[in-house]
Amino acid sequence: MTQQVIYCNDVDATLNSIIEGGSYNRVAVLVDSNTRQLALPLLPCLSNAHIIETTPGDDNKNLNALTHVWQELERCGATRNSLLVILGGGMATDLGGFAAATFKRGIHFINVPTTLLGAVDASVGGKTGINFNGLKNEIGCFAPATAVIVSTIFFPTLAEQELKSGYAEMVKHAMLHSHESFEQLLSFDFQDIDYDLLLKLLQESLLVKQDIVKKDPTEQGIRKALNLGHTVGHAFESKTLADGKPVPHGYAVAWGLVVESVLSHIMLNFPSSDLYALARFVKDNYGAFHITCDHYDQILDLMHHDKKSRGGEINCTLLKKCGTPTINNTINEDDLKAALDIYRDLMGI
């Protein structure tokens, strides 16, 4: 699963070169109402593309939106020699990638992430999908984009919350890579953002992910390490969707990282100093996901239904230390409830 990742500031010229070199008979661009207004005008090479607009927000990453994209591709006469440019965040690249992978049994698509989360998480690695039946990313497939164009030119328009959402995935990659990377990520200043430094950190973060994906493109082994923070995080996220109060994906991942680091400490003796450092960083920058013991059964049920579970058992990636992940850890309910208790203490709930 080879995926070309291009880092550049002149996104329009780069994208135009790829389009001209591909001899595509149709070009469509998937946007939401926000990226249509803020990002699309920066790419005049798409002025003649067929525009497919969706509603922003992960709760709109569903069958209705997927059907809409398929219908618009059909309406513009797209064939297997057509191209879909996906201009947006993780919701758009998940949805658009799945639509492209399944339309006519697969057409070409290019991801142009406009959010930090989209750049570091959803746009690279070939995972696509939609939410279904109240569960996050329940239906999808592995389908690499023809290319991914990564740039920070879109990031200054992002709210601080959106930047932090993507940054949580970078923290995850740092924890998988090394203690030095982990400490560097925790020192980033969100009050005075250095975009040159952010692009450097983003490139380093994506290299961690690309190296893992190259070794295991379809998640049969080591790629499961990239699920760090996500088993609990997706349960938190699914709970907020069910409650009608969705939170940014990266916030749920940040809280999930804390819980799974607690589990790592309980089961694998993950250093308490790193656990406390992570918890302080998350509390200071992401606040806390407020739960009580009355919510534990609902969270457990959501984790049992997670696609990473095996035979109904809860399965997590954990860490012996930063840079040493272990996959396929079966978590019993007592340990998880204890970890949720400790999470609440660490978050001051």
Side-chain angles (χ1 to χ4, degrees):
M1 184 181 290
T2 302
Q3 196 170 53
Q4 182 185 20
V5 182
I6 304 166
Y7 300 90
C8 68
N9 287 321
D10 194 344
V11 178
D12 185 65
T14 302
L15 181 58
N16 187 60
S17 176
I18 296 173
I19 292 173
E20 289 186 346
S23 301
Y24 302 108
N25 66 338
R26 296 284 188 280
V27 177
V29 55
L30 177 66
V31 293
D32 63 31
S33 54
N34 293 327
T35 53
R36 183 171 188 171
Q37 177 185 1
L38 298 172
L40 189 57
L42 300 177
L43 302 176
C45 71
L46 296 175
S47 58
N48 294 321
H50 179 76
I51 298 174
I52 305 173
E53 183 175 331
T54 63
T55 303
D58 200 76
D59 50 330
N60 294 302
K61 192 174 71 179
N62 53 37
L63 275 173
N64 289 335
L66 179 65
T67 299
H68 171 65
V69 178
W70 282 334
Q71 289 172 334
E72 287 297 306
L73 288 171
E74 185 74 30
R75 192 163 75 85
C76 77
T79 70
R80 294 187 72 180
N81 193 40
S82 297
L83 174 70
L84 178 64
V85 177
I86 305 169
L87 182 64
M91 179 271 194
T93 54
D94 279 354
L95 170 68
F98 187 47
T102 50
F103 186 76
K104 306 286 188 184
R105 294 201 178 112
I107 65 173
H108 301 276
F109 67 99
I110 294 174
N111 287 332
V112 185
T114 59
T115 67
L116 181 56
L117 178 61
V120 76
D121 183 31
S123 68
V124 175
K127 283 187 177 181
T128 70
I130 60 170
N131 304 330
F132 180 71
N133 202 27
L135 297 172
K136 173 85 173 175
N137 296 332
E138 182 73 355
I139 299 176
C141 65
F142 292 97
T146 302
V148 181
I149 302 175
V150 176
S151 174
T152 59
I153 66 167
F154 306 107
F155 295 173
T157 66
L158 299 178
E160 183 177 320
Q161 184 185 67
E162 294 183 44
L163 275 173
K164 288 181 177 178
S165 183
Y167 200 81
E169 292 284 354
M170 294 172 61
V171 172
K172 177 198 74 177
H173 291 160
M175 295 180 75
L176 293 173
H177 185 249
S178 69
H179 188 266
E180 292 73 21
S181 295
F182 173 63
E183 287 190 324
Q184 183 180 32
L185 268 285
L186 296 195
S187 66
F188 189 77
D189 185 1
F190 285 104
Q191 304 308 311
D192 184 20
I193 296 174
D194 182 337
Y195 285 99
D196 289 335
L197 173 61
L198 183 59
L199 182 60
K200 174 180 176 291
L201 296 174
L202 177 56
Q203 287 181 267
E204 293 173 356
S205 186
L206 280 172
L207 285 173
V208 173
K209 180 173 184 178
Q210 286 178 276
D211 182 59
I212 292 173
V213 171
K214 184 178 179 180
K215 294 174 182 174
D216 178 23
T218 59
E219 203 172 284
Q220 301 304 305
I222 190 58
R223 182 168 178 165
K224 295 177 183 179
L226 293 172
N227 292 323
L228 180 67
H230 282 64
T231 302
V232 175
H234 277 168
F236 285 172
E237 194 170 4
S238 293
K239 178 179 174 4
T240 67
L241 287 169
D243 293 343
K245 300 177 181 178
V247 297
H249 171 71
Y251 278 61
V253 169
W255 301 321
L257 283 172
V258 176
V259 178
E260 293 183 21
S261 293
V262 172
L263 285 168
S264 297
H265 178 69
I266 293 171
M267 299 176 62
L268 301 175
N269 202 30
F270 179 74
S272 58
S273 58
D274 288 345
L275 170 59
Y276 289 130
L278 174 67
R280 283 193 300 270
F281 176 82
V282 171
K283 183 180 179 181
D284 290 346
N285 289 284
Y286 299 86
F289 181 56
H290 287 266
I291 55 172
T292 71
C293 56
D294 292 336
H295 299 125
Y296 288 5
D297 287 342
Q298 181 187 7
I299 292 168
L300 284 165
D301 184 61
L302 287 166
M303 291 176 69
H304 280 299
H305 284 88
D306 189 275
K307 57 186 175 297
K308 297 180 289 298
S309 67
R310 299 178 300 171
E313 295 181 331
I314 296 171
N315 185 269
C316 284
T317 291
L318 301 178
L319 293 170
K320 293 182 179 179
K321 61 180 181 179
C322 288
T324 309
T326 69
I327 61 173
N328 298 329
N329 297 277
T330 299
I331 312 298
N332 67 56
E333 294 191 359
D334 288 340
D335 281 344
L336 182 57
K337 289 179 179 180
L340 291 171
D341 284 338
I342 295 170
Y343 158 83
R344 289 167 58 205
D345 288 339
L346 290 169
M347 294 291 104
I349 299 172

